[in-house]
Amino acid sequence: MRAPLSWLREYVDLPASETGRAVAARLISAGLEVETVEQTGAGLKGPLIVGKVLAIEELTEFKKPIRYCQVDVGSANGTGEPQNIICGATNFAVGDKVVVILPGGVLPGGFEIGSRKTYGRLSEGMICSERELGMGEDHDGIMVLPPEHEVGTDAIELLQLVDEVLDIAVTPDRGYCLSMRGLARETATAYGVPLRDPALLDVPAPNAQGYAVSVSDPLGCDRFTARTVAGLRPDAVSPIWLRRRLQKAGMRPVSLPVDITNYVMLELGQPLHAYDRSRVDGPIGVRRAEQGEKLTTLDGTDRALDPEDLVITDNRGPIGLAGVMGGAETEIAHGTDGGEAAGARPTSDVVIEAAHFDSVAVARTARRHKLSSEASRRFERGVDPEAAAAAAQRTVDLLVLLGGGTAEPGVTEIRTPSGPRTIKMAAGHPDRVAGVRYGREIVVRRLQQVGCDVYGEVATGGTTRGADGEEELTVTVPSWRPDLTDPNDLAEEVIRLEGYENLPSTLPRPLPGRGLTERQRLHRRVGRALAGAGFVETQSYPFLGEAALDGLGLDADDFRRTTVRLVNPLSDEEPGLRTTLLPGLLAALRRNLGRGSQDGEHLALFETGLVFLPREGAGSVAERLPVDARPSAERLAGQDAALPAQPRHAAVVLAGARERSGWWGKGRPAGWADAVEAARTVAREAGAELTVESAQFAPWHPGRCAALHVTLNGERVLVGHAGELHPRALKALGLPQRTCAMELDLDAVARAGGASVAAPEVSTYPVATQDVALVVDASVPAAEVEQALRSGAGRLLESLRLFDVFTGEQLGAGRKSLAYALRFRAADRTLKAEEATAARDAAVAAAVERTGAELRS
Amino acid sequence: MSAPNKSYDPVEVEALKPEEIDRAVQEALGAIAAAGDLEALREVKAAHAGDRSPLALANREIGALPPHAKAEAGKRVGQARGAVNKALKARQEELERERDERVLVEEAVDVTLPYDRAPRGARHPLTTLSERVEDIFVAMGYEVAEGPEVETEWFNFDALNLGPDHPARTMQDTFFVQGRHADGSAAGEDSGVVLRTHTSPVQIRSLLDRELPVYVICPGRVYRTDELDATHTPVFTQVELLAIDEGLTMADLKGTLDHMVASLFGEGLGTRLRPSYFPFTEPSAEMDMVCFVCRGASVGDPEHPCRTCGSEGWIELGGCGMVNPRVLTACGVDPERYSGFAFGFGIERMLMFRHNVEDMRDMVEGDVRFALPFGMEI
């Protein structure tokens, strides 16, 4: 809502020197979001006067029409002689009154006017358009004024060019502030001065002579006032003051009747509609639309109506979407402005509708038809139902005054009776909400300023709203505040008018907390460990499309292709939610490479985040539960059952060098083992034992892919994969060959870990080291050999480490040698050489038995 | 080697003459002092302290002396050998020190050589800033609560007093999730499931799951259908706080906000609440803090504009308010007995003004150059 300060002053006596910024500060403090204070006409400097065009010479030697004009500017130029001015517009004639700026003047935006030679003539000033004066966007030509304005009149004042406009973002609860009336009320309260309420008008009593109206949906429409004005002058146009107020409020002047309805809406907050009576066929009705009905709205759009839409009808059917937009068929013809209602004669008689429609009905219709209008915005947020009659009266008055019409005596008013709304509140409730002692007097005064009637009585026990003996207030809220329904709403009114800035600052004392959970600590540890290992964290969007999954080379029936799908994705290319972190990470990797991270440079990324896995065999439609009490456990469980599984995954991608080359020597490229090690890093942080075995799983290289398992409740659970990515996938994704990746289910790893660590016995006896080299078939995983050695070595084994892997001709094709260093130690004695050797032999024997290993001598 | 011989007069033994001993000592000391390096000293040692050195030979002659002469000669030779050995040892140490120093100089390296063999990584600043905020409240006794990102409309809207036709529900541009029947077939658009538009559903879950009083901080990712540009992102990080207890007031809300601002930006920065509207709080407010860079000095001073606050003097933090009693009712909490407050703000925006991030896209694109300078903590 844009509120010109000059207009606001009409209802509130503000100090003359009060600036727009000062008013804005008061209103912000009272809870209005004043976004900007615009200085209209900023930098404007006269002489800017009304001139009269005396002569026009058309200059034809130029590419576009140019006029050389003589303009009477009275004595404003000091000589009284006509002013010679070049003008590029052609929408005026000799005798027209125009706005002239003389040399020395400055237009808004700092455009200085001087005498200058142009188009072969000396131009001494400029004839102005509305846009050049900062009045509006209209630039179809120069501004032609009504003839009654005197030559030489100061146009800065006449056109009210210098003003301040407060642009206020009105929150959904303050619909009444979408009007000057509402803003004036807030301003008056903020300054502690009286309000001249523009809605306090004498309104004639309803009678039976008014335009026939029948409301068949009293819930959708509880008020309908209809008035008629006849005999509007066909040449009547909106006066400058009316046009200027509309322009400053951000609306475009259209025609007198439309301008008046818009003006009254801005003034009182009541949306109005004016029908051309000659184009309405019979009585006006209000009902829900019928299946199959159609309507062409004022914006020229043909709309198929929904049976829920509330419509205005005449004998032919719908003529308007109630509270949203009128129909084209009954539109006002635009008189001299040349209306779009082509061929129609100017409207002479109008029917004025001032009605109150149900906010939900209007909101749904506006949403359904994607049609948000000035009217619908107001009805959605709540319009004062008691203002309808006054708004209709104000419209009639202006049509009579400015349009030369005659107010007809008929007054139609349909009302669904409704009582005043009251709220009971303990007098001390605002104090308890704020943590401030306001006291009864302030509470009552503030509520009265809001427009409430307040009655108090001392509760005699049994009330739930205050302590026994505490006074209970019965507060009748004003008709323009449908948002006030609960005691807390009233508390807010008191607290905001007393000033949020005056609230004290105190600290509550919560019960001692238990700190972060194990899971939360783990997430932090994993992040630190991976970052410590050289990975940089990314946070990708979880939106996923087919293309990314195709690029990974997933089979058609791969489970990761079953995604949670969005109804309204940002991009139709990515309608799903991620089932894997890899697409986002790989895209980030590609982006880094594209931005000049060179081939061979170190590039390692990680991400942890949720993936979204539809539950097999379960629906995903959530019940809309009531909100009047805690839902049952069963129904709450139903809510969770409608959600997909959302485990937290951790993933890494690596490309280029893991270790750089440099003055110290050669670098080392990132390889599959780094990806597996990243998985071990995560598992280690979780305290989970990770077992690794070879696997084939897209998008990994079939020969370089590790399946990662943990043991959970005695069962082996697959938690992820790591290794080098498939060359075909890398090619499809435009990534360097040998790029590696790891992804695992962090939640599953966390569940498998977390056991408390039992401290080892630290023996101070000497260690006995034994090396063994075992030759096995190349297909035997090292992990199996190690496991066999460990189990055979027994409890004297302190540690075991694979220090070399060797293949060569002397071993024979398809064979490999694995060299292990075994360290033995006893807790209570120095081991004898025979003991260590016996343990080693037992270890080797186990390896021989389980893996077919041969001891290499 | 000579055997004892009674006929020998001790003074007749040339090598044991005092003047001979003295001469041998003087020669030895001269040679020791003249030895220029350890090799030369080794030769000197062999010549003057070795088995065939004059003093060693003299020593051997002692055995042939008559007993009465042995003592005196022994003492003289012993002192002489002691002096030589002492000088040798001193010179040896001196020469070794010189050698060591020379070697250490030769082994010197250029310690300014860079060493980026295994480059470091970093955590994302959105993660670490969120954790920093969490830690402030954890220190106060709050606990961190989490919840699903795909959420039901009841949790995301209805329970928060955002009814089906609430205007605010259309303001929050929501991603809706397609419904499915149990057999996998599409169940239309009205599934009642959305991508959460705020972390407030976690507040609802906390009120349903936890014992009262509840003091939780709810960080997490949220979603709205904005296109990505310099100041908007459809996926962002929110931190919300919820405190429900007996007798909590708006003054407590203000004090808690003050504490957070002091913890994140330093002491002495004012905060302000401005009335606002949110369906889930009543009364509601916008939270601002005094600009921690210019502290308001840039207001009305075009010569010294402030980039951080746009010379407004205030920085908008987010929304807050007293939890609407209707929200408590929906969670089965008695609003006559309990009250409380909530606030929430965007971590992206805070990262932008706290660390001068110019473009929100930097936070989502995963360019390593953005995250690396932030390191492990923020």
Side-chain angles (χ1 to χ4, degrees):
Chain A
M1 174 80 193
R2 290 169 54 88
L5 189 57
S6 60
W7 195 352
L8 206 51
R9 287 179 183 275
E10 194 173 309
Y11 315 115
V12 188
D13 285 328
L14 295 172
S17 61
E18 200 71 351
T19 63
R21 276 194 83 94
V23 176
R26 296 271 190 125
L27 291 179
I28 287 170
S29 170
L32 292 169
E33 285 180 38
V34 185
E35 297 195 316
T36 58
V37 180
E38 188 186 313
Q39 312 283 327
T40 65
L44 179 66
K45 185 166 158 277
L48 185 78
I49 64 270
V50 176
K52 181 179 177 183
V53 180
L54 299 176
I56 299 173
E57 183 190 345
E58 305 278 355
L59 307 182
T60 52
E61 64 265 42
F62 303 103
K63 279 187 198 144
K64 54 178 184 170
I66 297 296
R67 287 175 159 193
Y68 183 56
C69 310
Q70 280 70 54
V71 185
D72 178 7
V73 296
S75 58
N77 56 5
T79 65
E81 295 294 312
Q83 200 80 1
N84 297 316
I85 299 173
I86 288 285
C87 184
T90 56
N91 65 324
F92 59 100
V94 169
D96 276 351
K97 297 282 177 59
V98 294
V99 182
V100 177
I101 186 159
L102 296 178
V106 182
L107 286 174
F111 184 52
E112 290 179 29
I113 304 298
S115 294
R116 62 190 180 110
K117 194 101 188 266
T118 179
Y119 295 104
R121 303 288 198 287
L122 184 68
S123 182
E124 307 162 315
M126 192 169 126
I127 305 175
C128 302
S129 71
E130 291 199 353
R131 193 165 75 182
E132 284 156 351
L133 293 171
M135 293 168 63
E137 285 308 300
D138 211 338
H139 200 55
D140 294 341
I142 56 109
M143 186 169 32
V144 177
L145 298 173
E148 64 266 25
H149 299 292
E150 296 276 328
V151 164
T153 307
D154 178 15
I156 295 179
E157 197 171 322
L158 175 70
L159 299 176
Q160 298 159 24
L161 292 177
V162 179
D163 202 348
E164 295 187 274
V165 181
L166 280 62
D167 195 352
I168 298 166
V170 176
T171 50
D173 60 329
R174 298 202 186 279
Y176 69 102
C177 285
L178 289 171
S179 70
M180 293 307 298
R181 182 196 183 205
L183 293 174
R185 182 180 308 280
E186 289 295 336
T187 309
T189 305
Y191 279 86
V193 296
L195 167 75
R196 281 186 292 277
D197 186 347
L200 290 179
L201 296 176
D202 285 334
V203 178
N207 56 47
Q209 289 88 58
Y211 199 92
V213 175
S214 76
V215 175
S216 54
D217 188 334
L219 288 177
C221 173
D222 59 2
R223 294 293 149 90
F224 199 113
T225 296
R227 300 287 296 272
T228 47
V229 175
L232 292 176
R233 280 201 324 268
D235 60 345
V237 294
S238 301
I240 286 173
W241 67 264
L242 177 56
R243 297 170 63 91
R244 290 299 294 138
R245 284 194 167 174
L246 290 177
Q247 284 177 326
K248 289 176 189 175
M251 297 188 87
R252 215 173 131 255
V254 178
S255 67
L256 181 66
V258 173
D259 290 352
I260 288 174
T261 54
N262 281 336
Y263 180 82
V264 175
M265 175 181 70
L266 290 172
E267 185 178 51
L268 301 178
Q270 168 69 52
L272 296 136
H273 196 74
Y275 300 90
D276 185 328
R277 184 158 69 181
S278 69
R279 306 175 75 196
V280 182
D281 181 5
I284 288 175
V286 182
R287 61 165 169 81
R288 302 281 169 168
E290 286 160 18
Q291 195 71 49
E293 281 186 324
K294 289 189 166 53
L295 174 69
T296 304
T297 41
L298 279 176
D299 59 0
T301 309
D302 295 328
R303 297 175 190 278
L305 301 179
D306 186 278
E308 251 197 58
D309 287 334
L310 197 61
V311 291
I312 311 295
T313 60
D314 69 2
N315 284 337
R316 292 164 300 184
I319 57 170
L321 277 175
V324 180
M325 191 174 274
E329 284 200 11
T330 53
E331 185 182 5
I332 295 287
H334 286 183
T336 52
D337 285 14
E340 284 99 50
R345 57 188 174 71
T347 296
S348 161
D349 303 344
V350 296
V351 181
I352 298 149
E353 162 204 308
H356 186 254
F357 301 111
D358 176 52
S359 61
V360 170
V362 171
R364 286 186 180 171
T365 294
R367 212 186 311 168
R368 192 177 297 123
H369 295 285
K370 297 187 170 57
L371 181 61
S372 180
S373 64
E374 293 285 343
S376 71
R377 278 177 59 217
R378 286 173 171 79
F379 279 119
E380 281 176 42
R381 285 163 175 77
V383 165
D384 181 0
E386 300 301 331
Q393 182 63 44
R394 180 78 166 128
T395 309
V396 168
D397 291 346
L398 288 172
L399 283 169
V400 169
L401 180 72
L402 306 174
T406 309
E408 295 189 337
V411 176
T412 304
E413 190 170 307
I414 295 175
R415 295 174 68 106
T416 305
S418 62
R421 289 183 304 110
T422 60
I423 304 169
K424 289 192 183 297
M425 178 184 76
H429 185 67
D431 295 20
R432 285 192 288 276
V433 172
V436 175
R437 285 210 72 76
Y438 296 120
R440 178 195 194 278
E441 192 190 334
I442 285 177
V443 168
V444 170
R445 179 163 57 82
R446 288 306 190 183
L447 290 176
Q448 285 169 341
Q449 279 176 332
V450 168
C452 296
D453 286 327
V454 185
Y455 299 95
E457 59 182 89
V458 175
T460 51
T463 175
T464 55
R465 300 207 176 270
D468 193 21
E470 182 176 347
E471 186 177 11
E472 183 173 70
L473 303 178
T474 301
V475 181
T476 306
V477 301
S479 55
W480 60 85
R481 293 298 302 269
D483 60 303
L484 301 180
T485 58
D486 294 6
N488 268 39
D489 299 327
L490 300 179
E492 178 180 75
E493 294 300 309
V494 173
I495 299 166
R496 79 176 171 94
L497 293 178
E498 282 296 299
Y500 277 17
E501 66 273 22
N502 296 320
L503 287 168
S505 176
T506 56
L507 269 180
R509 302 223 168 266
L511 292 176
R514 284 161 295 190
L516 298 179
T517 62
E518 286 305 322
R519 187 167 172 273
Q520 289 158 357
R521 286 171 193 282
L522 171 64
H523 292 166
R524 293 187 178 196
R525 274 202 311 278
V526 165
R528 288 201 196 99
L530 288 174
F535 294 90
V536 178
E537 185 177 11
T538 65
Q539 290 197 357
S540 310
Y541 288 171
F543 306 121
L544 186 65
E546 291 292 318
L549 298 170
D550 292 345
L552 292 179
L554 303 190
D555 287 343
D557 60 350
D558 190 291
F559 73 95
R560 286 164 291 179
R561 287 190 183 270
T562 307
T563 59
V564 173
R565 295 176 79 85
L566 298 175
V567 173
N568 53 337
L570 277 186
S571 157
D572 290 336
E573 308 292 309
E574 295 185 324
L577 296 181
R578 66 187 177 194
T579 49
T580 155
L581 300 180
L582 291 184
L585 268 173
L586 292 171
L589 187 70
R590 192 165 53 236
R591 197 171 294 122
N592 275 285
L593 289 166
R595 289 180 180 179
S597 264
Q598 288 160 7
D599 215 18
E601 277 287 292
H602 165 93
L603 208 46
L605 307 175
F606 84 96
E607 177 158 359
T608 66
L610 304 192
V611 300
F612 306 90
L613 306 172
R615 290 181 208 276
E616 265 178 65
S620 66
V621 178
E623 190 187 3
R624 183 74 46 77
L625 299 181
V627 294
D628 52 356
R630 181 192 172 101
S632 67
E634 196 180 321
R635 295 180 89 179
L636 285 173
Q639 293 281 305
D640 284 343
L643 299 178
Q646 301 175 52
R648 181 171 290 266
H649 279 200
V652 307
V653 294
L654 307 104
R658 185 74 173 121
E659 276 179 24
R660 287 175 171 151
S661 61
W663 56 264
W664 54 82
K666 274 198 178 311
R668 184 175 67 74
W672 60 268
D674 294 302
V676 178
E677 179 56 18
R680 289 203 178 93
T681 301
V682 172
R684 216 160 24 234
E685 294 302 330
E689 195 175 331
L690 198 68
T691 55
V692 175
E693 64 186 42
S694 73
Q696 298 197 352
F697 189 69
W700 279 272
H701 185 310
R704 299 185 170 187
C705 172
L708 312 167
H709 291 85
V710 295
T711 305
L712 196 56
N713 303 326
E715 281 187 42
R716 247 162 61 92
V717 179
L718 178 68
V719 292
H721 293 86
E724 188 177 307
L725 292 175
H726 199 294
R728 213 161 39 230
L730 293 174
K731 190 159 181 232
L733 295 168
L735 289 166
Q737 293 302 308
R738 306 292 178 209
T739 295
C740 298
M742 177 282 286
E743 176 166 20
L744 50 69
D745 180 339
L746 186 53
D747 286 344
V749 174
R751 281 194 296 275
S756 79
V757 174
E761 277 183 64
V762 179
S763 167
T764 53
Y765 290 94
V767 68
T769 304
Q770 299 256 0
D771 290 354
V772 295
L774 297 172
V775 178
V776 292
D777 205 77
S779 64
V780 173
E784 279 181 27
V785 178
E786 177 174 329
Q787 209 181 9
L789 284 171
R790 280 186 188 282
S791 66
R795 54 183 204 84
L796 291 178
L797 183 73
E798 182 177 83
S799 70
L800 173 154
R801 181 167 181 270
L802 175 68
F803 65 89
D804 194 23
V805 180
F806 172 73
T807 54
E809 277 177 28
Q810 61 270 50
L811 295 175
R815 306 283 282 168
K816 65 183 174 190
S817 163
L818 305 170
Y820 291 91
L822 285 67
R823 289 159 61 88
F824 299 99
R825 202 190 313 246
D828 54 353
R829 64 187 190 282
T830 300
L831 281 183
K832 296 189 187 109
E834 309 88 86
E835 288 181 286
T837 303
R840 184 201 66 170
D841 290 348
V844 170
V848 168
E849 189 198 328
R850 291 209 212 157
T851 67
E854 290 170 24
L855 186 63
R856 195 165 164 241
S857 43
Chain B
M1 195 165 288
S2 319
N5 186 345
K6 285 180 182 153
S7 64
Y8 269 66
D9 178 352
V11 295
E12 294 301 309
V13 179
E14 195 68 14
L16 287 173
K17 283 182 183 166
E19 48 274 45
E20 283 302 307
I21 298 288
D22 279 349
R23 193 170 54 82
V25 167
Q26 288 314 314
E27 277 177 13
L29 292 180
I32 287 167
D37 55 29
L38 289 165
E39 184 60 29
L41 187 66
R42 196 156 42 246
E43 284 168 18
V44 170
K45 186 177 179 181
H48 295 280
D51 289 346
R52 310 206 53 81
S53 65
L55 288 175
L57 294 174
N59 195 46
R60 265 181 243 158
E61 298 298 335
I62 293 171
L65 295 180
H68 68 272
K70 271 185 183 170
E72 192 195 338
K75 187 179 173 196
R76 190 183 306 133
V77 174
Q79 281 174 345
R81 296 183 80 185
V84 170
N85 283 336
K86 190 178 166 198
L88 268 174
K89 190 172 174 233
R91 185 63 182 153
Q92 174 85 18
E93 282 174 4
E94 191 178 3
L95 287 172
E96 277 178 2
R97 196 161 50 245
E98 278 173 20
R99 180 202 61 189
D100 287 354
E101 275 168 17
R102 200 166 51 249
V103 166
L104 291 178
V105 167
E106 283 163 5
E107 284 180 358
V109 296
D110 177 2
V111 297
T112 70
L113 285 174
Y115 195 69
D116 53 354
R117 189 171 191 163
R120 69 199 176 87
R123 306 179 72 207
H124 199 284
L126 290 174
T127 309
T128 49
L129 184 55
S130 176
E131 287 177 2
R132 194 181 172 106
V133 173
E134 292 161 29
D135 288 345
I136 292 166
F137 291 102
V138 167
M140 294 173 78
Y142 286 71
E143 293 184 356
V144 178
E146 292 160 298
E149 291 174 14
V150 175
E151 185 57 285
T152 70
E153 289 195 45
W154 188 81
F155 277 107
N156 194 71
F157 293 125
D158 299 70
L160 288 154
N161 193 35
L162 280 142
D165 292 296
H166 205 289
R169 200 150 167 168
T170 52
M171 275 165 42
Q172 296 191 343
D173 303 318
T174 307
F175 286 108
F176 291 91
V177 168
Q178 285 184 11
R180 279 180 312 107
H181 292 301
D183 63 2
S185 62
E189 300 191 348
D190 198 10
S191 65
V193 178
V194 297
L195 291 187
R196 67 180 178 190
T197 58
H198 44 193
T199 51
S200 310
V202 183
Q203 300 188 14
I204 301 301
R205 290 179 177 275
S206 298
L207 285 174
L208 290 169
D209 295 346
R210 290 168 184 254
E211 302 252 322
L212 290 162
V214 166
Y215 288 86
V216 289
I217 180 109
C218 315
R221 270 190 148 186
V222 302
Y223 300 84
R224 298 194 195 165
T225 58
D226 290 319
E227 295 283 348
L228 173 66
D229 63 26
T231 54
H232 297 85
T233 159
V235 183
F236 57 101
T237 317
Q238 227 182 24
V239 173
E240 289 192 346
L241 169 146
L242 173 73
I244 300 293
D245 204 340
E246 291 181 45
L248 291 183
T249 67
M250 252 183 124
D252 293 328
L253 161 61
K254 168 102 164 113
T256 305
L257 171 65
D258 286 345
H259 179 77
M260 182 188 79
V261 168
S263 303
L264 281 174
F265 297 96
E267 299 288 337
L269 291 167
T271 63
R272 105 183 148 181
L273 301 181
R274 283 179 291 122
S276 187
Y277 170 74
F278 306 105
F280 28 89
T281 50
E282 187 72 39
S284 302
E286 298 277 350
M287 317 181 284
D288 302 336
M289 58 177 274
V290 167
C291 176
F292 64 101
V293 175
C294 73
R295 294 189 173 243
S298 67
V299 180
D301 182 4
E303 300 290 306
H304 303 96
C306 179
R307 235 169 38 144
T308 301
C309 65
S311 299
E312 293 284 328
W314 292 93
I315 295 173
E316 282 184 35
L317 283 175
C320 64
M322 302 304 290
V323 175
N324 195 315
R326 289 169 184 243
V327 174
L328 298 180
T329 301
C331 298
V333 175
D334 180 5
E336 300 293 342
R337 182 173 165 200
Y338 288 97
S339 63
F341 56 86
F343 66 64
F345 53 87
I347 291 291
E348 278 77 4
R349 234 187 69 73
M350 181 177 279
L351 186 68
M352 286 183 99
F353 68 71
R354 194 168 183 262
H355 298 273
N356 283 326
V357 181
E358 299 273 334
D359 196 320
M360 208 163 254
R361 283 172 285 220
D362 291 339
M363 302 179 194
V364 306
E365 288 178 341
D367 193 315
V368 296
R369 291 170 299 172
F370 177 71
L372 271 171
F374 291 98
M376 291 284 188
E377 290 206 354
I378 199 164

